[in-house]
Amino acid sequence: MQSPSPVPGGVVGSELKASLASELAKGNDISIIRVLETLLERAHLMNASDIHIDPARESVRIRFRVDGVLQDIESFPKSIHQEVISRIKVVSQLRTDEHHTPQDGRFRQALSDGRFIDIRVSIAPTYHGENCVLRILADHSENYSLAMLGFSESDCKKIETAIHKTSGMILSTGPTGSGKTTTLYTLIKMLSAPEVAIVTIEDPIEYSVDSIEQIQVNTRSGLTFATGLRSILRQDPDIIMVGEIRDGETATIAVNAALTGHLLFSTLHTNDATTTLPRLSDMGIDPYLVASTMNIAIGQRLVRKICDMCKEKHTLTDAEFARLSQLSVEKPFAKGETIYRGKGCANCNESGYRGRLSINEVLVATPALRELILTKASAEAIRQTAIKEGMTTMLEDGMEKVRAGDTTIEEVLRVVHE
């Protein structure tokens, strides 16, 4: 989530852009292999998470998702669309003669610097031809720490205390694309040691980690999260990571695993940390079991970082101050307070942002909160008690990062929806 070292507007980025343009201009002599390789190199250089290949009537639009936002990058002639899709199918070992059914695959691509990136492929038939989305699964998580991800010092201490317990559940919550999996991998790597048995079950396996055993969900063969988790419990693990708790059956097995001496990590799709507890009850888990096994729930979102190369000071306008005054934050902004924003430069593709970090809230299951869980209290009641017990909300954490010059008010409000 930190900014990568390459610069999109630098010499290498310009060379790749020119190389792609040169290849596209070759007409019948075009190398589709070279087109795809250059596209992947450029996406990796820009730290894109996804490449969208979207066919239209007369052209093919290429978009990169950079720091969570889609950007138009190129336009290909429609004449090479099917050849590009066929090449992707070949390297992903998908059926090249099937054009009317969605297909999913995966392949590994070597980069010019000697590194490798894993690419997850999703192809779907549309009105103007097959659409393709390539998810880039580069293993940046290997270098992360909780502080690098954006966790405050106090939240880091809460998490480190919880993960060094011998049993219980640590849940990371938030919508798709909020950095939950990266957070869990970071925690797993912090605990990885020769004397600790760590097993994961994931769909898909996003990062390959040598020191742990990773199992890929395969519904065709009957390997689901629930069946895989049952199997893992017979593998003598100390720590288990379940990619996602999707249903009541998986939740039940996960809670029982945490209750029987295992430390269990997983993700859950909820709006924030406090709605995690009622959500487990809604999935059929007895409140007593939730109260007994929950260690912490981490709520998070990803916000774009202000570009370090074009960061500038900005004084709050009256309109901005009036908007901020409506927010329920513990430390309100002062009228005319100085904050920061990105002016826009070649480093950030004129966006004013470069890289991402998380804004978080960490709910620790204190005795007072366990009592509320037992009485099936509402999420709001749990939230208010958690705040009294020392939880910093995502909105508060985001505003602290605004004050520190890490991100902007607009970014925080965009992802928190306050």
Side-chain angles (χ1 to χ4, degrees):
M1 295 165 199
Q2 293 289 313
S3 303
S5 54
V7 178
V11 175
V12 179
S14 299
E15 288 177 353
L16 285 172
K17 187 174 182 179
S19 174
L20 187 58
S22 173
E23 197 64 50
L24 291 172
K26 289 182 178 179
N28 293 334
D29 296 325
I30 191 171
S31 167
I32 298 300
I33 293 175
R34 181 61 185 154
V35 167
L36 182 59
E37 287 177 349
T38 305
L39 201 62
L40 291 170
E41 287 270 4
R42 195 170 166 195
H44 177 68
L45 185 70
M46 292 181 66
N47 199 35
S49 60
D50 301 87
I51 301 172
H52 287 242
I53 303 174
D54 304 323
R57 185 184 298 277
E58 298 177 353
S59 64
V60 181
R61 181 166 63 158
I62 306 298
R63 293 182 293 170
F64 291 172
R65 187 175 295 279
V66 181
D67 296 335
V69 179
L70 278 172
Q71 300 179 11
D72 279 323
I73 298 297
E74 285 287 348
S75 180
F76 284 1
K78 189 66 181 286
S79 58
I80 69 167
H81 169 241
Q82 197 52 54
E83 291 181 75
V84 171
I85 297 297
S86 293
R87 175 60 188 170
I88 293 170
K89 287 180 178 179
V90 168
V91 294
S92 306
Q93 297 183 331
L94 300 177
R95 287 185 58 179
T96 56
D97 61 339
E98 178 56 72
H99 306 289
H100 303 290
T101 302
Q103 296 191 71
D104 296 314
R106 188 174 181 140
F107 68 95
R108 171 164 278 205
Q109 176 69 34
L111 301 175
S112 57
D113 61 5
R115 298 173 63 184
F116 289 87
I117 51 174
D118 288 322
I119 312 293
R120 196 168 79 220
V121 179
S122 176
I123 297 174
T126 69
Y127 185 75
H128 291 295
E130 289 177 287
N131 167 281
C132 181
V133 176
L134 305 175
R135 166 63 59 89
I136 300 173
L137 303 172
D139 189 7
H140 296 310
S141 71
E142 191 168 331
N143 304 316
Y144 284 151
S145 66
L146 288 176
M148 287 173 63
L149 294 180
F151 287 91
S152 66
E153 187 178 346
S154 61
D155 282 345
C156 284
K157 289 179 180 177
K158 292 174 185 175
I159 294 171
E160 287 170 11
T161 299
I163 66 173
H164 284 99
K165 293 183 177 180
T166 56
S167 64
M169 287 198 299
I170 286 93
L171 297 181
S172 182
T173 70
T176 300
S178 60
K180 301 185 299 296
T181 303
T182 301
T183 296
L184 290 190
Y185 270 106
T186 302
L187 298 179
I188 288 291
K189 287 177 179 179
M190 288 169 63
L191 295 170
S192 180
E195 65 273 16
V196 180
I198 302 175
V199 187
T200 77
I201 179 161
E202 307 166 63
D203 184 22
I205 295 173
E206 295 204 17
Y207 304 113
S208 175
V209 184
D210 292 335
S211 57
I212 65 177
E213 300 300 322
Q214 297 173 275
I215 299 171
Q216 167 74 53
V217 165
N218 187 342
T219 51
R220 290 180 181 176
S221 65
L223 180 56
T224 63
F225 277 119
T227 58
L229 188 48
R230 284 195 184 94
S231 174
I232 287 172
L233 289 172
R234 296 191 291 270
Q235 294 281 310
D236 187 32
D238 297 301
I239 298 170
I240 302 167
M241 186 181 106
V242 182
E244 182 185 344
I245 295 178
R246 295 178 179 172
D247 52 55
E249 184 182 9
T250 307
T252 299
I253 303 167
V255 167
N256 285 329
L259 199 63
T260 54
H262 301 91
L263 190 62
L264 185 128
F265 295 80
S266 191
T267 68
L268 201 62
H269 284 278
T270 60
N271 288 331
D272 52 36
T274 52
T275 52
T276 302
L277 308 175
R279 173 76 179 124
L280 287 171
S281 295
D282 290 343
M283 294 174 87
I285 306 301
D286 191 301
Y288 169 75
L289 294 176
V290 177
S292 301
T293 56
M294 178 64 65
N295 288 349
I296 54 168
I298 304 166
Q300 62 183 88
R301 299 285 191 282
L302 291 179
V303 294
R304 290 181 291 173
K305 287 187 63 185
I306 298 173
C307 174
D308 291 328
M309 302 294 286
C310 62
K311 183 187 292 187
E312 62 179 12
K313 290 184 178 180
H314 167 63
T315 302
L316 280 177
T317 64
D318 290 342
E320 288 171 332
F321 176 73
R323 185 182 182 191
L324 289 171
S325 299
Q326 298 173 3
L327 300 176
S328 53
V329 291
E330 196 173 303
K331 299 177 184 176
F333 284 87
K335 197 167 187 177
E337 187 170 337
T338 298
I339 54 175
Y340 296 85
R341 64 183 176 187
K343 186 178 180 179
C345 65
N347 180 61
C348 59
N349 207 24
E350 303 300 330
S351 68
Y353 299 99
R354 176 86 168 132
R356 288 191 291 178
L357 78 163
S358 63
I359 58 174
N360 320 283
E361 57 187 25
V362 178
L363 182 149
V364 179
T366 61
L369 285 171
R370 293 185 197 277
E371 286 293 327
L372 287 176
I373 297 169
L374 288 171
T375 60
K376 294 188 177 181
S378 67
E380 182 56 30
I382 293 171
R383 175 186 172 84
Q384 293 303 324
T385 301
I387 292 171
K388 288 177 185 176
E389 298 268 308
M391 184 183 81
T392 301
T393 66
M394 270 188 284
L395 180 61
E396 293 276 2
D397 187 52
M399 291 306 167
E400 284 303 308
K401 289 179 170 70
V402 169
R403 284 192 171 92
D406 294 328
T407 189
T408 63
I409 292 167
E410 292 79 12
E411 268 298 287
V412 174
L413 296 182
R414 178 179 71 87
V415 300
V416 175
H417 305 300
E418 180 76 17

